[in-house]
Amino acid sequence: MNLSTLAFTTLMLAACSLAGLPLVVQDDQQTPYTSVNSDTKVPVILGVMSRCPDAVLCETVFDQVLKKVAGKVDLSLTFVAHANASEPDFGVTCKHGPAECAGNVHELCAMKYASPSEFWEFVQCQNYQGIDKIGQPDTALKCANTAQIDWVNSGMGDCAGLDGSGKAPEGILLLQHSVNVTEELGIEKSCTIIINGKQVCIHDGTWKQCENGHNVHDFVRQINHEYKKLNADGSSDEDEL
Ligand SMILES: *[C@@H]1O[C@H](CO)[C@@H](O)[C@H](O)[C@H]1NC(C)=O
Ligand SMILES: *[C@@H]1O[C@H](CO)[C@@H](O)[C@H](O)[C@H]1NC(C)=O
């Protein structure tokens, strides 16, 4: 996506936020993947709602970022929604309705059961179908296929419901847990970007609180900086981009 496309997309965005939560930025996060290499990857967390245009925009930007810092990042999504015991299907109220809760479950199950690259391809595929298709069973099944995730044997199907409903017990628990984590991180807006424990940027209708910039190059630079800090024991001699 080029910058003029981004600017155009920005015009179409509505704010996706939940009011009322205090904003607390924490310094320690858990990363969802364990690195097999000896280097320490930079945890990057995107606070999102699956059907939020701001989230789609952030994920599109980070698709470009990942291509430039491949191997240096552990990217994960954490979902913005409200725990609500009165919600019959998910126990969670999602701003863009139950279909968004289902879309969140699909992405969480892919994050848990697919490889990082398969997971990311799944998310990009969902976004590419269009906001209105995110959360639909056939979208999840189609995108699992596109990302070459074996729906049945990988465990993703059991997690998300073999029929793709997003309403299997494991997926629902993942969503509830993710919503808790999001609140603990003090994230209330989709999309919120956290790099190595620091909130560095929000896209909420427009870019906000992005002290160190908000284009692909700015995020790449910040990730490379954090990667060097995390691996600054002389053993790693990475090239600067
Ligand atoms: C909780 O869920 C119920 C049932 O869907 C809904 O009527 C209510 O508005 C929700 N409460 C909040 C605070 O979202
Ligand atoms: C989410 O947080 C609530 C309130 O602290 C807790 O009761 C619930 O068990 C948590 N759910 C998960 C799945 O972590």
Side-chain angles (χ1 to χ4, degrees):
M1 182 179 267
N2 63 34
L3 288 178
S4 61
T5 314
L6 277 182
F8 174 73
T9 309
T10 303
L11 294 175
M12 307 186 302
L13 299 181
C16 307
S17 66
L18 294 170
L21 292 171
L23 191 63
V24 180
V25 179
Q26 303 194 345
D27 282 322
D28 301 308
Q29 260 95 62
Q30 293 178 324
T31 55
Y33 312 119
T34 307
S35 172
V36 288
N37 302 322
S38 56
D39 66 332
T40 305
K41 296 187 195 302
V42 180
V44 174
I45 301 174
L46 305 181
V48 294
M49 304 170 174
S50 62
R51 283 188 166 217
C52 171
D54 298 280
V56 171
L57 186 142
C58 270
E59 287 158 358
T60 303
V61 169
F62 267 79
D63 192 45
Q64 298 301 308
V65 172
L66 283 184
K67 288 181 174 131
K68 298 206 158 71
V69 288
K72 293 184 184 173
V73 170
D74 274 331
L75 183 70
S76 61
L77 302 180
T78 190
F79 287 91
V80 183
H82 272 313
N84 180 352
S86 308
E87 287 288 356
D89 290 331
F90 297 99
V92 163
T93 298
C94 295
K95 176 159 182 169
H96 304 92
E100 174 164 84
C101 288
N104 296 353
V105 167
H106 295 149
E107 293 178 7
L108 284 164
C109 290
M111 190 161 86
K112 177 165 181 184
Y113 285 101
S115 72
S117 62
E118 290 166 346
F119 153 63
W120 191 244
E121 191 177 349
F122 177 83
V123 171
Q124 293 298 317
C125 173
Q126 296 233 96
N127 292 347
Y128 188 74
Q129 308 310 308
I131 293 266
D132 292 349
K133 299 270 173 26
I134 295 173
Q136 292 180 5
D138 55 338
T139 303
L141 292 163
K142 176 187 163 148
C143 286
N145 192 45
T146 299
Q148 296 189 300
I149 301 166
D150 185 333
W151 185 258
V152 174
N153 294 312
S154 68
M156 182 175 172
D158 282 333
C159 176
L162 280 175
D163 60 358
S165 68
K167 295 175 189 169
E170 185 184 1
I172 291 169
L173 262 179
L174 284 182
L175 176 59
Q176 292 173 354
H177 179 70
S178 178
V179 168
N180 283 359
V181 169
T182 303
E183 293 195 7
E184 284 162 18
L185 292 174
I187 295 172
E188 61 177 19
K189 297 217 162 90
S190 166
C191 164
T192 298
I193 301 168
I194 296 182
I195 296 177
N196 199 23
K198 287 188 218 74
Q199 182 184 304
V200 299
C201 202
I202 290 173
H203 197 285
D204 180 27
T206 178
W207 292 110
K208 295 174 178 171
Q209 300 173 36
C210 308
E211 268 180 51
N212 296 306
H214 54 68
N215 65 31
V216 170
H217 180 76
D218 295 321
F219 295 126
V220 167
R221 190 186 65 248
Q222 291 175 75
I223 287 166
N224 278 325
H225 180 74
E226 295 302 319
Y227 184 85
K228 277 199 157 177
K229 277 200 326 203
L230 287 170
N231 295 286
D233 58 358
S235 62
S236 164
D237 208 12
E238 292 287 322
D239 288 334
E240 268 289 86
L241 284 175

